[in-house]
Amino acid sequence: MNLAHPTDDGRPRQPAYRVSEIAGLYALVREDHLRSLQKCGLIGTPDVVDGERFIGFADVAVIRHVNAELLRGTPFRAVLRACLAGRSGQLAFD
């Protein structure tokens, strides 16, 4: 699952994970959820290499957290609000 793909100059970038594999691991987080997380700035836009989409470790952590909350029965909008509140609170603290 973990794959370091090269940058434009051929050097390896940070480890990345295939979006298709992450979707298999965290099945409750649908494609529309990923788009909402991207739109809100909670995860980055996936890098596309040879037709495959890749995301970084920090984005996987957010997706894992969202999936865990959805497993508990929390509605996605509530999870999204909590993530945004946590992010803005952390930025205010820094």
Side-chain angles (χ1 to χ4, degrees):
M1 172 180 12
N2 190 349
L3 175 73
H5 59 279
T7 59
D8 292 336
D9 60 3
R11 291 179 310 181
R13 224 190 278 205
Q14 70 178 11
Y17 300 86
R18 285 186 178 91
V19 172
S20 59
E21 292 179 357
I22 297 304
L25 291 172
Y26 306 111
L28 294 179
V29 181
R30 302 184 316 249
E31 191 68 33
D32 60 319
H33 293 155
L34 292 175
R35 284 192 300 273
S36 295
L37 293 169
Q38 289 171 10
K39 185 177 177 181
C40 293
L42 293 170
I43 64 173
T45 304
D47 293 328
V48 179
V49 178
D50 296 329
E52 284 279 347
R53 296 182 309 158
F54 293 90
I55 58 174
F57 179 76
D59 294 340
V60 173
V62 172
I63 293 168
R64 182 177 57 119
H65 172 73
V66 169
N67 190 73
E69 291 298 320
L70 292 173
L71 273 173
R72 288 186 187 100
T74 309
F76 178 72
R77 287 183 185 256
V79 174
L80 187 61
R81 280 193 303 271
C83 288
L84 288 170
R87 171 85 36 113
S88 63
Q90 181 62 36
L91 292 175
F93 181 71
D94 288 343

